[in-house]
């Protein structure tokens, strides 16, 4: 394409987004969709159109997984290689794609028809193996499906009519709170009859805690945000579920978007916000058109926009699609991304409730939390707190996958034991449960009497079941590799530590690890946990640390008899090769 034509296209896209630097992600998405990749030239034109430094645009774009910097084929297959996908045969599907196209994963066919790439969890572990093909999800793939998919792409046809282009809802247990029947507008009508302080008091009565995993009381978050000084207040819904094995937001966004938008609206009323953002992970972009339709319908019904229900309250919601980065699930990183920057976590304090989006008070809440909030306003805090267990009130939507008969989404009450959960999903001969995703805990059978509970087993919702025949440590290696790849590279304990954790574990898996390596690995894990700047690094060692604690025999069985094999040393590695702060150019290159 001629340079001037490129410049015109980019200028048009920038114009669509008001030439606002804060809309850099949208502009990049728009240009990427039109030109197929973001070349150095495009980056220059985007910078020019938005009045930004070229380096800032390049730095941001290189951070996100789904922005290609090199030309790609007319179609791109992003095959998911998350742990559950590989358990269910993703490696064989990858091989079938390589055979059918004649190129390796990571390459493009010589006729530029098809590019093959891997991607991390795309929220379809209940119907694995899966892929995003030109943004369209294909599920339950087998090697036998691949020739037809490739033929369709070679003909330049749309894959959405293929039988594999079907995402099952897989909502296998509806609770009364998140997935119960709803009357759109009911919660808003009730909310507007209360003062914001009364509404927050109702949240306090409910004892609702954030469903992202940390469990911070929602009433406190809203109260801090409401009383924080600022020119404007904002509500942000974190729909960036990227924890491998998580897919319950996919089902909530499909099944009950009205409840979510209602929750965002009552949150806006409570904290004094006029504007809300739904930050939708890039992998769920296929849901965007439907969600926009729901928003439009709600505006028409007077449930969004100016003078909501004639009560003088103004509030509207914009959907921001991400670019593909696990760390953007961290609230401050998400805010950076929402502002059109790379999603690097911020130092805290100040917390987002004090200085969040555009440095203004911002309440970032999980999808499920906001659904619970809407239900609480509708039915009352006391009604909500009658569900659950001790200090964990209400229900939890779990995404359950792996070795079980009925993978899917289940809304269960807090307090359920792991054994009851296994019986519910038809899981037998279970070796381990990865509870809370890779950043959570790997639990052995002697822990299956433990309960779903913020104070013992907190989770954002991911539950992966490993049968007794699985090589558990190999899956821990894959989890550790995931953290290594998703580290934003800002701080050394995480950037270097995750790589060293991976090397240490690989040494043990190869059979050349020693007892002193195990000790070093344990110390390194504790250091990475204690010294990392954000939740990603603070939990990256969990797959190793929790399996060392709960499955010590698995490690000991892989050790070498030779005690003279040298082990690695974090302090030495830091000294030899790694700056203590600063970015990792290799990572940036990798994302490019
Ligand atoms: Fe980035 Fe990891 Fe540091 Fe978090 S802990 S800021 S992801 S390098």
């Amino acid at each position: 394409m001629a340079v001037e034509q490129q410049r015109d296209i980019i200028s048009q896209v920038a114009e669509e987004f008001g030439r606002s630097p804060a809309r850099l992600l949208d502009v990049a998405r728009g240009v990427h969709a039109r030109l197929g990749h973001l070349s150095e030239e495009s980056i220059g034109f985007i910078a020019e159109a938005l009045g930004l430094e070229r380096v800032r645009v390049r730095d941001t774009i290189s951070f996100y997984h789904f922005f290609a910097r090199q030309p790609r084929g007319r179609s791109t297959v992003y095959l998911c290689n998350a742990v559950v996908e590989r358990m269910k045969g993703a490696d064989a599907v990858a091989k079938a794609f390589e055979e059918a196209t004649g190129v390796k994963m990571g390459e493009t066919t010589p006729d530029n028809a098809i590019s093959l790439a891997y991607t991390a969890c795309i929220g379809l572990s209940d119907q694995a193996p899966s892929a995003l093909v030109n943004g369209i999800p294909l599920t339950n793939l087998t090697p036998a499906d691949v020739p037809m998919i490739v033929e369709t792409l070679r003909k330049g046809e749309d894959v959405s009519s293929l039988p594999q282009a079907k995402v099952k809802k897989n909502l296998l247990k509806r609770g009364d709170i998140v997935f119960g029947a709803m009357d759109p507008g009911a919660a808003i009508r009730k909310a507007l009859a209360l003062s914001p302080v009364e509404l927050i008091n109702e949240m306090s009565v409910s004892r609702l805690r954030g469903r992202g995993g940390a469990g911070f009381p929602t009433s406190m978050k809203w109260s801090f945000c409401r009383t924080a000084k600022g020119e404007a207040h904002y509500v942000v819904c974190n729909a960036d579920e990227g924890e491998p094995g998580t897919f319950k937001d996919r089902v909530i966004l499909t099944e009950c978007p009205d409840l979510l938008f209602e929750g965002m609206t009552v949150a806006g009323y409570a904290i004094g916000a006029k504007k809300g953002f739904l930050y939708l992970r890039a992998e769920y972009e296929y849901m965007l058109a439907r969600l926009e339709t729901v928003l439009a319908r709600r505006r028409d019904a007077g449930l969004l926009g100016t003078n909501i229900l004639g009560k003088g309250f103004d509030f509207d919601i914009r959907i921001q699609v991400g670019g593909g980065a696990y760390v953007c699930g961290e609230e401050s990183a998400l805010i950076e991304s929402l502002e059109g920057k790379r999603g690097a976590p911020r130092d805290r304090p100040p917390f987002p409730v004090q200085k969040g989006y555009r440095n203004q008070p911002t309440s970032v809440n999980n999808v499920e939390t906001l659904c619970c909030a809407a239900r609480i306003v509708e039915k009352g805090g006391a009604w909500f707190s009658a569900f659950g267990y001790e200090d964990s009130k209400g229900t939890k939507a779990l995404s359950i996958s792996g070795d079980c008969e009925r993978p899917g989404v289940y809304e269960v009450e807090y307090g359920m034991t792991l054994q009851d959960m296994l019986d519910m999903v038809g899981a037998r001969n279970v070796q381990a449960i990865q509870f809370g995703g890779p950043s959570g805990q790997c639990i052995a059978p002697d822990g299956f009497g433990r309960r779903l509970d913020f104070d013992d087993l907190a989770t954002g919702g991911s539950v992966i079941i490993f049968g007794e025949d699985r090589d558990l440590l190999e899956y821990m290696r894959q989890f550790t590799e995931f953290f290594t790849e998703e580290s934003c590279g800002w701080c050394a304990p995480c950037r270097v530590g995750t790589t060293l954790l991976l090397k240490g574990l690989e040494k043990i898996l190869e059979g050349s690890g020693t007892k002193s390596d195990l000790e070093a690995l344990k110390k390194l894990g504790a250091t990475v946990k204690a010294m990392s700047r954000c939740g990603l690094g603070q939990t990256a060692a969990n797959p190793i640390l929790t399996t060392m604690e709960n499955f010590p025999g698995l490690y000991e069985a892989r050790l070498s008899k030779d005690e003279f094999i040298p082990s690695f040393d974090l302090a030495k590695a830091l000294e030899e090769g790694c700056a203590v702060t600063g970015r990792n150019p290799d990572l940036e290159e990798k994302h490019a």
Side-chain angles (χ1 to χ4, degrees):
M1 183 181 291
V3 170
E4 277 316 307
Q5 203 181 346
Q6 258 190 62
R7 180 185 246 140
D8 286 349
I9 288 173
I10 290 170
S11 180
Q12 281 165 25
V13 175
E15 196 62 43
E16 272 175 46
F17 296 102
R19 297 188 180 270
S20 163
R23 304 299 294 273
L24 172 56
L25 243 65
D26 295 303
V27 173
R29 272 181 51 238
V31 174
H32 195 276
R34 303 274 294 271
L35 303 181
H37 74 289
L38 298 172
S39 66
E40 192 54 33
E41 236 162 22
S42 308
I43 284 173
F45 293 143
I46 292 173
E48 181 185 287
L50 299 182
L52 290 168
E53 297 286 329
R54 178 193 281 253
V55 68
R56 151 92 196 275
V57 176
R58 188 190 304 115
D59 183 48
T60 302
I61 283 168
S62 66
F63 186 79
Y64 296 97
H65 182 66
F66 288 110
F67 294 140
R69 295 287 314 281
Q70 303 300 326
R72 294 184 314 180
R74 290 184 290 283
S75 293
T76 302
V77 176
Y78 277 110
L79 180 67
C80 179
N81 66 348
V83 159
V84 179
E85 311 276 331
R86 294 186 68 182
M87 287 166 72
K88 299 291 177 182
D91 292 344
V93 174
K95 195 158 173 270
F97 270 112
E98 290 181 338
E99 281 169 8
T101 57
V103 295
K104 297 280 176 207
M105 295 301 294
E107 294 177 353
T108 298
T109 55
D111 61 355
N112 283 330
I114 303 169
S115 295
L116 301 180
Y118 281 120
T119 193
C121 189
I122 57 174
L124 289 164
S125 298
D126 55 333
Q127 22 211 316
S130 61
L132 287 172
V133 179
N134 301 331
I136 296 162
L138 302 186
T139 61
N140 293 312
L141 294 171
T142 66
D145 296 330
V146 171
M148 184 177 60
I149 296 167
V150 168
E151 196 189 323
T152 305
L153 294 176
R154 283 203 188 282
K155 285 188 203 154
E157 291 174 1
D158 187 359
V159 292
S160 53
S161 54
L162 293 177
Q164 295 82 6
K166 194 159 61 176
V167 176
K168 272 205 286 178
K169 217 182 276 172
N170 259 352
L171 173 55
L172 301 183
K173 184 172 168 53
R174 280 176 188 274
D176 292 321
I177 296 173
V178 178
F179 293 110
M182 87 164 287
D183 167 17
I188 297 179
R189 273 191 288 278
K190 290 243 174 118
L192 298 183
L194 300 172
S195 72
V197 172
E198 286 170 331
L199 196 158
I200 291 174
N201 284 343
E202 204 59 36
M203 287 299 134
S204 177
V205 170
S206 74
R207 296 166 66 190
L208 172 64
R209 296 169 70 174
R211 269 27 184 178
F216 192 77
T218 306
S219 60
M220 281 171 76
K221 185 178 264 191
W222 286 8
S223 183
F224 290 150
C225 190
R226 176 170 182 74
T227 51
K229 294 213 179 337
E231 290 154 16
H233 289 57
Y234 296 99
V235 174
V236 175
C237 172
N238 182 348
D240 193 36
E241 62 172 354
E243 192 78 66
T246 310
F247 45 85
K248 47 114 189 152
D249 287 353
R250 180 198 87 217
V251 178
I252 296 174
L253 291 164
T254 311
E255 182 74 3
C256 39
D258 272 296
L259 188 67
L260 169 63
F261 293 141
E262 196 116 344
M264 291 180 71
T265 310
V266 300
Y269 179 69
I271 67 167
K274 290 186 185 324
K275 197 160 185 180
F277 299 94
L278 172 68
Y279 187 94
L280 185 69
R281 66 186 304 226
E283 291 82 348
Y284 291 170
E285 191 174 354
Y286 63 91
M287 296 184 196
L288 180 62
R290 183 166 175 271
L291 291 170
E292 292 285 12
T293 305
V294 176
L295 287 177
R297 174 169 47 71
R298 291 182 69 82
R299 285 184 197 108
D300 290 345
L303 299 172
L304 270 181
T306 50
N307 194 21
I308 289 174
L309 294 177
K311 301 286 184 187
F313 168 54
D314 302 342
F315 184 79
D316 213 332
I317 295 169
R318 174 166 84 71
I319 301 175
Q320 175 68 59
V321 179
Y326 168 74
V327 72
C328 288
E330 197 277 341
E331 61 178 3
S332 67
L334 186 151
I335 289 169
E336 286 282 299
S337 182
L338 195 56
E339 291 179 353
K341 302 174 192 158
R342 55 190 279 138
R346 294 178 178 174
D347 284 326
R348 300 188 301 175
F351 293 95
V353 288
Q354 302 159 304
K355 286 183 186 295
Y357 180 67
R358 295 187 169 170
N359 277 333
Q360 301 301 318
T362 302
S363 179
V364 182
N365 294 108
N366 175 274
V367 168
E368 197 181 342
T369 310
L370 289 160
C371 289
C372 292
R375 200 65 85 181
I376 288 163
V377 178
E378 185 190 345
K379 301 213 170 197
W383 174 84
F384 181 88
S385 67
F387 296 91
Y389 175 77
E390 297 188 346
D391 282 337
S392 303
K393 299 300 185 191
T395 57
K396 182 80 195 81
L398 298 176
S399 321
I400 305 180
S401 63
D403 293 320
C404 62
E405 285 169 10
R406 295 178 290 280
V409 171
Y410 295 76
E411 184 183 359
V412 302
E413 276 192 61
Y414 277 98
M416 176 181 250
T417 66
L418 295 186
Q419 187 56 58
D420 286 344
M421 188 196 73
L422 293 175
D423 294 342
M424 177 178 75
V425 302
R428 278 177 284 281
N429 304 323
V430 175
Q431 177 184 186
I433 303 174
Q434 186 68 36
F435 200 79
S439 62
Q441 308 178 42
C442 191
I443 299 167
D446 62 2
F448 290 175
R450 293 170 70 185
R451 291 173 189 276
L452 170 62
D453 173 7
F454 279 108
D455 301 313
D456 179 17
L457 285 180
T459 174
S462 168
V463 180
I464 301 172
I465 298 166
F466 293 104
E468 60 188 3
D469 296 335
R470 299 287 182 183
D471 180 355
L472 195 60
L473 295 194
E474 165 54 23
Y475 295 112
M476 298 305 121
R477 188 198 68 73
Q478 291 176 23
F479 285 148
T480 309
E481 188 174 51
F482 166 77
F483 286 123
T484 307
E485 288 178 0
E486 293 296 333
S487 167
C488 82
W490 199 94
C491 60
C494 171
R495 182 183 71 223
V496 181
T498 51
T499 302
L500 293 179
L501 284 168
L502 181 61
K503 279 189 179 173
L505 186 54
E506 281 173 346
K507 188 176 177 188
I508 287 161
L509 291 184
E510 283 159 10
S512 53
T514 64
K515 275 199 169 153
S516 53
D517 284 323
L518 282 188
E519 280 312 305
L521 207 49
K522 203 181 274 182
K523 272 193 208 154
L524 172 60
T527 305
V528 174
K529 207 175 171 86
M531 304 298 291
S532 291
R533 186 174 181 229
C534 84
L536 188 152
Q538 287 156 11
T539 57
N542 285 359
I544 293 177
L545 293 180
T546 62
T547 44
M548 276 184 146
E549 190 178 334
N550 297 329
F551 300 87
L554 291 183
Y555 285 88
E556 277 152 26
R558 311 282 273 250
L559 293 184
S560 162
K561 303 279 176 285
D562 184 353
E563 271 301 321
F564 298 103
I565 297 170
S567 64
F568 63 87
D569 181 325
L570 172 65
K572 193 155 171 269
L574 281 170
E575 204 178 284
E576 281 176 359
C578 314
V580 172
T581 57
R583 292 177 184 148
N584 180 351
D586 290 346
L587 273 175
E588 294 189 6
E589 189 57 36
K590 182 197 69 181
H591 284 295

